[in-house]
């Protein structure tokens, strides 16, 4: 191979490596570095939002009341404009959650009680109780959490990374706030 051809191949390989390093590099957990930074930023916001006194009070109240007769099956049958669905968007916590979701970096935001039932939401989530899903099951243990992969959000269909944070009261975990962080 002649010297000019070798220089051209090296330059092309070097440029490709720089492009990957600047745009497609992966963070330690497998997300592109830029997306990992976005996830970290929103996970911190979730921790702050979880400490909001209105959110804490709403979760405490929901824990005291219990879910009533709502089940995932009944929830699934409800229209997104049904008064039972709208109640979670229009209660005090729901109004705050709706304002926070005006930030277009997230595509859903949901507050859940200690059992995984909806307390407040910005829109109608796919399921009423998500206790067995990672977005609830991980942060209910007391630590902020985020997924390590981008997937279509089950509720919105938007490519997202799921993240959540515990809602705390006096050092005790009483619920969870979770979001779909948009990858688009």
């Amino acid at each position: 191979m002649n010297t000019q051809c070798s220089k051209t191949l090296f330059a092309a390989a070097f440029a490709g490596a720089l492009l990957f390093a600047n745009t497609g590099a992966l963070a330690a957990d497998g997300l592109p570095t830029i997306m990992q930074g976005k996830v970290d930023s929103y996970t911190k916001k979730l921790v702050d939002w979880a400490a909001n006194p209105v959110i804490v009070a709403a979760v405490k109240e929901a824990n005291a009341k219990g879910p009533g007769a709502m089940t995932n099956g009944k929830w699934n049958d409800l229209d997104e404009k049904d008064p039972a669905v709208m109640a979670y968007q229009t209660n005090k916590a729901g109004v705050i959650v709706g304002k926070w979701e005006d930030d277009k970096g997230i595509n859903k935001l949901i507050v859940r009680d200690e059992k995984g039932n909806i307390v407040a939401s910005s829109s109608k989530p796919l399921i009423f109780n998500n206790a067995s899903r990672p977005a609830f099951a991980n942060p209910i243990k007391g630590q902020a959490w985020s997924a390590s992969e981008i997937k279509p959000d089950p509720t919105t269909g938007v490519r997202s990374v799921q993240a959540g944070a515990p809602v705390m009261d006096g050092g005790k975990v009483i619920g969870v706030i979770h979001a779909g962080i948009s990858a688009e």
Side-chain angles (χ1 to χ4, degrees):
M1 186 179 318
N2 68 37
T3 305
Q4 183 60 34
C5 184
S6 294
K7 287 180 182 178
T8 303
L9 286 173
F10 176 78
F14 184 72
L18 280 177
L19 179 64
F20 180 77
N22 289 328
T23 61
L26 298 179
D29 66 359
L31 290 174
T33 303
I34 291 171
M35 186 64 194
Q36 185 63 57
K38 184 177 181 181
V39 169
D40 292 345
S41 174
Y42 277 102
T43 301
K44 287 177 186 167
K45 282 185 180 186
L46 288 172
V47 170
D48 291 342
W49 292 341
N52 181 290
V54 173
I55 299 300
V56 173
V59 173
K60 285 172 66 173
E61 182 180 334
N63 286 342
K65 285 183 181 177
M70 187 58 69
T71 65
N72 284 337
K74 289 177 185 177
W75 182 257
N76 192 45
D77 292 339
L78 297 176
D79 181 77
E80 64 185 36
K81 296 295 182 190
D82 187 284
V85 173
M86 295 301 297
Y88 294 103
Q89 296 168 42
T90 58
N91 64 26
K92 286 182 183 179
V95 170
I96 289 173
V97 165
K99 287 178 184 174
W100 289 335
E101 198 194 317
D102 283 345
D103 179 332
K104 297 304 177 196
I106 55 178
N107 59 74
K108 76 172 180 191
L109 187 58
I110 303 166
V111 177
R112 295 187 180 271
D113 69 10
E114 65 190 352
K115 304 270 192 226
N117 301 308
I118 299 170
V119 172
S121 65
S122 56
S123 60
K124 183 185 182 213
L126 184 62
I127 57 177
F128 181 77
N129 179 292
N130 77 337
S132 64
R133 304 276 177 110
F136 178 82
N138 288 304
I140 197 68
K141 295 174 186 173
Q143 297 288 330
W145 168 88
S146 64
S148 59
E149 59 188 331
I150 299 169
K151 291 182 172 181
D153 184 273
T155 296
T156 66
V158 175
R159 289 177 23 123
S160 307
V161 175
Q162 299 298 308
V167 176
M168 309 285 285
D169 180 38
K172 179 182 176 210
V173 178
I174 61 169
V176 166
I177 185 169
H178 67 96
I181 302 166
S182 300
E184 300 175 350

